[in-house]
Amino acid sequence: MNTKLLNSIFFKIKNLGFLIIVVLFTFSGLNVCGQNLKSNYKRERIKLNEGWHFMLYDANPDNLIYDVRPKIEAENDSKVADSKPTEAVKVETKEDVLKNWILPSANDFIKDPSNKHIRPEGNPGADFPFVKADFKDDAWEKVTLPHDWAITKPFYVGDNPEVGGGMGRLPSQGVAWYRKKLDIATTDKGKIIYLDVDGAMSYAIVWLNGHLVGGWPYGYNSFRLDLTPFLNYGGPNQLSIRIDNPNHSARWYPGGGIYRNVWLTKTAPVHVAQWGTFITTPEISVNEASINLSLKLENKTTSTQTVQARTQIYALDDFGKAKGKAIADFPSETINLNPDEKQVKESKIKLKKPKLWGAYPSQKQNLYLARTRLYIDGKQIDEYDTPFGIRKIEFHPIQGLLVNDAKIKIQGVNQHHDLGALGAAFNVRAAQRQLEMLRELGCNAIRLSHNPPAPELLDLTDRMGFLVIDEIFDSWERKKTPHDFHLIFPDWHEPDTRSFIRRDRNHPSVIAWSFGNEVGEQYTDAAGATIAQKLHDIVHEEDPTRLASASQNYAKPDMPFSKVMDFMSLNYQGEGIRDAPAYLHLKGGIRTSPLYPAFQKAFPDKMIVSSETASALSTRGSYIFPVTAENSAPVSDGVGANPLTKEVSAYELYTAQFGASPDKVFATQDRHPYVAGEFVWTGWDYLGEPTPYYSARSSYSGIIDLAGFKKDRFYLYQSRWRPNLPIAHILPHWNWPNRVGEITPVHVFTSGDEAELFLNGQSLGRKKKVELESRIRWDDVKYQAGELKVVAYKNSKIWAEETVKTTDKATKLVVMVDRPEIKSDGEDLAFITVKITDKNGLMVPNANSKIRFSIEGSGEIVATDNGDPANLVSFTSHEREAYNGMALVIVRSNKRSKGTITLVATSDGLEKTVLKIKNN
């Protein structure tokens, strides 16, 4: 409401007495802005991704900083990942930082009222040009969110780069501004208008019309700010967001910028609070499920409001839409809300014949929707939807994970947040592609390492039936890198944890919480356990229905840290760290024998799961000789790796110093059947942390490479995780003109129990799988060009076959697209695989020709890649060398521009190819 008008009203009635003032504010249900709550409202959620202006400082950024940070004298980003975290460096906070103005943004997530923050007087930054409406930003770059400012830039090359391999050699560091005009209609007067940011990396600070609104430092959490007090109605509003992403802030590629969706949410002054519903299903049977609803309402008026709340349940279809009529109603509630009050109401119902949510592929992914409507005097003022699933989760110490009373072996992977050549900027189709390939692998579980995901990712895991361990922190008070989360842990661990849980707790795919990964507090005895207990208790205050843990790579069964955990979440300790013969020469780091039995003995009532296993390393299609005779060996220059090309052997036997091959992991888990399963490090390669070569850009640990191409390891896991799928996979390829007559070992991954290998029609022997071994090896094969063929058997019957041939020379390009038709929404993507083949259509596995791409029609090339971790060509390049016969092109649709997209691929000496994609 106009301030002058409000003052005028009070002036005119001040002599009429207090009673008239009360009547004025209660008779028609007016809020402080004068909006009549009897009128109809419709909650609006508007995506704000378009029309942003962006500027990244070259140097000399402004002084509008959240807080001072410690100076870095020297930092080795290539240190072994299990190096001991160290104590924080203390720095003195200056009075002119903005921290005290930002901290109140956390108040809704601080339990103890005495710990809530009081905003100081003043309006820092009000005179800074970028927050003013009249500042001319026409010369700034025009961007659409989600936006990662670093992913399109050149890689840092050479020794001692500003950003090292640990953070992906991309310029994600720096300070940037985003500006956008908001038009708020006069009809929005009286509504509460929020800015909802799904993720901004990092130290986001927000101004509206020159007023400092608030912010959120942790780049992975979603947050909300109330814009209402600072809005201009009937005209433009200037939104300005400052992002500050420090170097040496992560052990992987963080991305830079507003890299997830941003929303404008408009509600009535009385409404369902942010993430204000929590649905639990404490009792489930075939015939009936009890469903409990916790509903938090918020009254942002100056008068008491009497609200009726009605929640109905609907079944959801495969597209997440409510189908048909409501199938159940919670009891209607009448709630009296005092001014500026939040209040929680609990209700429950019984649902007959519930359809359960469960893990793919053995169970169905049935989903429901709880639709809450609020009324005042019979008029609807709010509507809030909560998707949920009905399922029973049990962590059993002997049987492992039970989902709806059925044992589900965890066949999981760890996933970082980046999307390869697309960087940190979230895209639903890119994430869906990753999950589709993991499902093909036989993966049924994801551990989100080591931070909250984009909200849409959990929508996908709900629909696709993945089990999720949702994780919040990689560090607490002790640091792994100089500028990581430890700098803000004291102030933000509680609000970050509470907001994380509230956002994600209605997702049925989330089966457990992880509140830490390999934190340094494992080393600090009772002091570390005290911090762990505090975080553990916060998690359970927000969600008492799920178990919570922190992943341990150091803490042993007799340490106080371990006793805090609801279940044992072990990183590498189960199969042992640096304990196998090939690892004994390694210096430093953690060394421990296999600890499954010790943990099981110490905690007989707690489930054990390996939250990180393997950390096997390889580059797709690269084979290095000789091959180790061990079933697991650490990689080093000349031993499973080539330091000149920065390649690691794809025989899938070599690992990080602290790791173990899949073969060793499988055997150890088979020896200890009470272990619930594993989360492999990692499902896909990811940007940053390029062990063992930190002059590279991306990891070597994925089962699938950064471009989305399957490594040989894919078939090793698939043969174990999908035992009923006929699989026979031969490695290596058979193009070795310089190895004629030399020993070239042949390994076979199969879901069968024995196999016979043939070279040019001559049998090289029929072998059975040995107990506790996962591959069949012919280690004395001498290379001769021609044809390798394997016939796999199961129960003495032919099960699967595969043939690998020496190819002719490369002659042409072949392209394949993941989908022939995409949506014209400006967000949908087509992933196009390019292969170099011979005249017979066989991929030439050692072809690395440069390929040029051009495009016409209603789409654009957004990135190219080839899966080579050492390739430092910009992802935006339209020229890309194939890597071991393959390359990738990612094409994005143009918005509101239907038609045909034509991609042309050419290469010197090769027959060009043309691909057409429909953009509808």
Side-chain angles (χ1 to χ4, degrees):
M1 188 174 188
N2 184 283
T3 303
K4 292 182 179 179
L5 179 59
L6 184 63
N7 290 337
S8 176
I9 292 172
F10 275 97
F11 179 79
K12 290 178 181 179
I13 67 173
K14 67 179 181 179
N15 293 322
L16 297 181
F18 176 73
L19 179 62
I20 296 177
I21 298 176
V22 172
V23 170
L24 176 66
F25 277 88
T26 59
F27 179 72
S28 297
L30 297 179
N31 77 344
V32 291
C33 295
Q35 178 65 40
N36 189 337
L37 288 180
K38 290 183 178 179
S39 62
N40 287 329
Y41 276 86
K42 180 182 179 183
R43 176 183 286 254
E44 293 181 81
R45 192 166 185 254
I46 303 163
K47 190 179 282 188
L48 290 185
N49 286 355
E50 296 184 349
W52 291 84
H53 289 223
F54 166 78
M55 188 279 298
L56 176 67
Y57 285 108
D58 290 329
N60 302 318
D62 55 67
N63 62 354
L64 296 172
I65 62 173
Y66 172 80
D67 201 359
V68 295
R69 292 190 284 261
K71 292 183 179 180
I72 300 172
E73 302 298 333
E75 174 63 11
N76 173 22
D77 78 336
S78 64
K79 61 188 176 187
V80 178
D82 66 343
S83 299
K84 181 179 178 180
T86 57
E87 290 185 19
V89 176
K90 294 182 179 180
V91 292
E92 184 177 349
T93 299
K94 299 177 181 178
E95 294 182 0
D96 57 354
V97 300
L98 304 190
K99 174 181 173 179
N100 290 334
W101 282 266
I102 305 305
L103 285 171
S105 301
N107 281 345
D108 282 349
F109 305 98
I110 296 173
K111 183 179 179 181
D112 185 345
S114 67
N115 290 332
K116 292 180 185 286
H117 304 283
I118 299 174
R119 179 174 170 135
E121 295 294 326
N123 182 30
D127 295 330
F128 191 72
F130 297 171
V131 309
K132 295 182 177 181
D134 59 359
F135 175 76
K136 301 298 183 184
D137 57 16
D138 296 346
W140 288 17
E141 183 182 355
K142 295 175 177 62
V143 300
T144 298
L145 308 182
H147 175 241
D148 177 354
W149 75 53
I151 197 62
T152 61
K153 301 294 192 293
F155 288 93
Y156 288 109
V157 298
D159 297 331
N160 301 313
E162 185 170 354
V163 178
M167 285 176 56
R169 289 185 166 258
L170 284 164
S172 58
Q173 85 290 2
V175 176
W177 285 82
Y178 291 81
R179 285 170 45 94
K180 179 179 172 62
K181 298 288 187 185
L182 301 178
D183 288 320
I184 305 297
T186 55
T187 54
D188 285 329
K189 283 186 178 180
K191 298 177 183 178
I192 306 300
I193 299 181
Y194 295 108
L195 179 73
D196 289 329
V197 179
D198 287 346
M201 189 64 67
S202 51
Y203 291 94
I205 303 177
V206 178
W207 285 262
L208 181 67
N209 297 326
H211 298 278
L212 177 58
V213 181
W216 204 276
Y218 189 36
Y220 292 105
N221 258 9
S222 303
F223 65 93
R224 163 174 284 186
L225 298 174
D226 187 356
L227 302 181
T228 313
F230 314 108
L231 286 167
N232 297 324
Y233 295 94
N237 292 264
Q238 182 60 58
L239 183 64
S240 304
I241 303 179
R242 183 186 189 273
I243 303 295
D244 181 0
N245 203 31
N247 200 359
H248 305 293
S249 61
R251 298 184 298 119
W252 56 84
Y253 176 71
I258 306 176
Y259 68 104
R260 294 179 184 163
N261 292 322
V262 173
W263 309 84
L264 200 67
T265 301
K266 302 178 182 181
T267 72
V270 178
H271 54 269
V272 178
Q274 181 188 20
W275 305 317
T277 56
F278 183 27
I279 295 175
T280 57
T281 54
E283 297 177 6
I284 301 171
S285 70
V286 174
N287 296 319
E288 188 176 75
S290 61
I291 304 178
N292 295 353
L293 169 66
S294 175
L295 175 64
K296 180 184 285 189
L297 303 184
E298 183 172 11
N299 176 14
K300 299 197 80 167
T301 77
T302 58
S303 60
T304 299
Q305 302 292 338
T306 300
V307 184
Q308 292 79 42
R310 182 186 181 192
T311 300
Q312 296 177 297
I313 294 178
Y314 298 81
L316 289 180
D317 63 21
D318 293 339
F319 302 98
K321 304 295 183 183
K323 55 184 180 181
K325 297 180 179 179
I327 60 174
D329 288 61
F330 283 92
S332 184
E333 298 273 0
T334 299
I335 303 133
N336 291 316
L337 284 168
N338 293 323
D340 202 29
E341 181 190 15
K342 295 183 179 72
Q343 190 178 138
V344 176
K345 280 291 182 179
E346 311 283 348
S347 57
K348 59 181 66 177
I349 59 169
K350 302 283 188 182
L351 182 66
K352 302 295 184 183
K353 301 292 183 183
K355 294 183 178 180
L356 303 186
W357 183 95
Y360 182 88
S362 59
Q363 299 173 327
K364 299 292 186 181
Q365 290 75 57
N366 297 297
L367 293 168
Y368 292 92
L369 178 78
R371 177 163 289 161
T372 300
R373 297 181 177 93
L374 303 184
Y375 302 85
I376 290 181
D377 293 340
K379 297 292 186 180
Q380 183 176 325
I381 59 165
D382 196 16
E383 183 173 295
Y384 187 88
D385 285 350
T386 308
F388 70 99
I390 301 172
R391 85 287 188 271
K392 185 192 300 183
I393 301 293
E394 182 182 358
F395 283 20
H396 194 279
I398 301 301
Q399 297 183 60
L401 177 67
L402 302 178
V403 181
N404 302 325
D405 297 322
K407 180 176 179 177
I408 302 292
K409 190 73 172 180
I410 294 175
Q411 299 174 170
V413 300
N414 286 269
Q415 286 285 94
H416 267 297
H417 77 301
D418 76 74
L419 296 169
L422 300 173
F426 187 77
N427 179 277
V428 171
R429 174 55 200 158
Q432 183 183 39
R433 173 183 178 242
Q434 288 193 339
L435 293 178
E436 286 171 350
M437 290 192 66
L438 291 173
R439 203 155 79 165
E440 180 188 354
L441 174 69
C443 171
N444 63 11
I446 308 289
R447 175 173 173 250
L448 296 167
S449 48
H450 302 290
N451 43 260
E456 295 86 356
L457 182 66
L458 294 180
D459 294 338
L460 288 171
T461 57
D462 287 346
R463 293 201 299 270
M464 298 177 72
F466 284 91
L467 307 166
V468 173
I469 290 185
D470 207 352
E471 190 161 78
I472 176 73
F473 299 131
D474 187 50
S475 59
W476 298 345
E477 290 183 341
R478 295 174 71 83
K479 64 183 175 68
K480 295 180 180 178
T481 61
H483 290 159
D484 65 20
F485 185 79
H486 82 279
L487 295 177
I488 56 175
F489 181 89
D491 292 319
W492 287 91
H493 66 273
E494 181 187 359
D496 273 316
T497 303
R498 292 190 189 279
S499 64
F500 154 70
I501 301 290
R502 289 181 202 175
R503 192 197 73 169
D504 293 350
R505 63 189 178 182
N506 287 311
H507 287 280
S509 57
V510 176
I511 62 170
W513 306 109
S514 174
F515 51 88
N517 171 68
E518 298 182 357
V519 294
E521 284 71 11
Q522 292 177 98
Y523 295 83
T524 60
D525 201 64
T530 299
I531 297 173
Q533 188 69 58
K534 184 176 182 179
L535 289 168
H536 170 276
D537 293 347
I538 291 172
V539 171
H540 278 296
E541 287 173 3
E542 296 295 331
D543 178 12
T545 71
R546 292 178 178 88
L547 301 186
S549 191
S551 294
Q552 303 171 210
N553 68 327
Y554 175 78
K556 304 301 184 287
D558 59 346
M559 293 181 178
F561 190 95
S562 300
K563 295 177 174 61
V564 175
M565 308 305 153
D566 295 335
F567 63 98
M568 295 297 107
S569 180
L570 304 182
N571 286 8
Y572 310 105
Q573 295 200 84
E575 55 270 11
I577 301 175
R578 295 180 177 88
D579 73 309
Y583 299 78
L584 296 180
H585 67 284
L586 298 174
K587 306 295 183 183
I590 299 166
R591 189 182 301 276
T592 185
S593 59
L595 287 179
Y596 287 142
F599 273 99
Q600 206 274 335
K601 182 178 180 181
F603 303 102
D605 59 340
K606 295 184 180 182
M607 190 187 84
I608 299 173
V609 66
S610 267
S611 41
E612 287 184 28
T613 63
S615 200
L617 308 175
S618 63
T619 45
R620 173 187 50 81
S622 304
Y623 306 94
I624 296 170
F625 306 96
V627 177
T628 180
E630 303 286 344
N631 79 339
S632 185
V635 69
S636 60
D637 289 351
V639 180
N642 184 335
L644 298 178
T645 60
K646 304 179 184 65
E647 293 175 303
V648 178
S649 177
Y651 273 95
E652 312 296 9
L653 292 166
Y654 299 94
T655 76
Q657 290 187 19
F658 53 85
S661 71
D663 309 60
K664 183 186 177 187
V665 174
F666 296 160
T668 308
Q669 294 219 341
D670 287 346
R671 291 188 186 101
H672 306 97
Y674 51 82
V675 177
E678 65 171 319
F679 291 88
V680 179
W681 191 267
T682 54
W684 283 58
D685 277 339
Y686 56 95
L687 290 165
E689 203 171 15
T691 305
Y693 293 117
Y694 274 68
S695 56
R697 64 176 196 193
S698 55
S699 77
Y700 293 71
S701 58
I703 298 170
I704 301 165
D705 75 17
L706 198 72
F709 302 145
K710 301 168 185 175
K711 299 182 185 179
D712 291 284
R713 209 181 323 153
F714 184 97
Y715 302 97
L716 179 56
Y717 281 98
Q718 191 180 54
S719 66
R720 178 177 174 88
W721 287 353
R722 300 183 65 182
N724 295 323
L725 180 68
I727 299 167
H729 177 74
I730 298 173
L731 62 151
H733 64 70
W734 214 237
N735 278 27
W736 301 103
N738 298 323
R739 295 190 62 81
V740 175
E742 294 187 26
I743 290 178
T744 307
V746 176
H747 293 187
V748 170
F749 303 150
T750 180
S751 51
D753 49 37
E754 58 181 319
E756 186 171 12
L757 183 68
F758 299 86
L759 176 55
N760 294 329
Q762 181 179 352
S763 175
L764 300 183
R766 180 165 167 169
K767 298 186 177 185
K768 291 182 178 290
K769 269 188 187 174
V770 176
E771 186 179 5
L772 298 180
E773 292 188 5
S774 300
R775 68 178 72 200
I776 304 176
R777 302 171 63 146
W778 285 262
D779 283 332
D780 56 355
V781 177
K782 292 184 178 179
Y783 176 78
Q784 55 180 274
E787 177 185 281
L788 272 178
K789 180 179 179 180
V790 66
V791 179
Y793 297 84
K794 197 165 193 175
N795 298 323
S796 300
K797 295 181 179 179
I798 292 178
W799 176 246
E801 298 181 6
E802 184 177 67
T803 300
V804 175
K805 296 180 179 179
T806 307
T807 70
D808 287 330
K809 68 176 183 178
T811 59
K812 58 183 178 180
L813 299 171
V814 174
V815 294
M816 297 168 289
V817 65
D818 63 331
R819 295 174 303 149
E821 187 173 315
I822 59 177
K823 294 179 290 187
S824 58
D825 59 4
E827 298 178 6
D828 204 2
L829 301 172
F831 291 86
I832 300 155
T833 299
V834 185
K835 293 185 177 181
I836 299 175
T837 72
D838 68 5
K839 64 182 181 183
N840 300 312
L842 297 176
M843 188 186 81
V844 181
N846 50 358
N848 297 316
S849 303
K850 181 177 287 188
I851 307 170
R852 294 176 293 277
F853 302 103
S854 60
I855 194 168
E856 294 180 355
S858 54
E860 61 178 326
I861 296 172
V862 291
T864 63
D865 193 14
N866 61 14
D868 176 9
N871 189 293
L872 298 182
V873 174
S874 172
F875 287 126
T876 58
S877 175
H878 289 198
E879 292 187 347
R880 176 74 54 182
E881 287 185 349
Y883 182 63
N884 294 332
M886 302 176 73
L888 175 75
V889 185
I890 305 174
V891 170
R892 181 169 56 213
S893 65
N894 288 341
K895 190 170 186 178
R896 295 182 290 270
S897 178
K898 296 183 179 181
T900 300
I901 302 170
T902 302
L903 179 79
V904 179
T906 61
S907 182
D908 293 344
L910 302 178
E911 181 182 330
K912 80 171 185 179
T913 188
V914 177
L915 175 72
K916 294 185 181 296
I917 307 165
K918 292 183 179 179
N919 184 26
N920 289 333

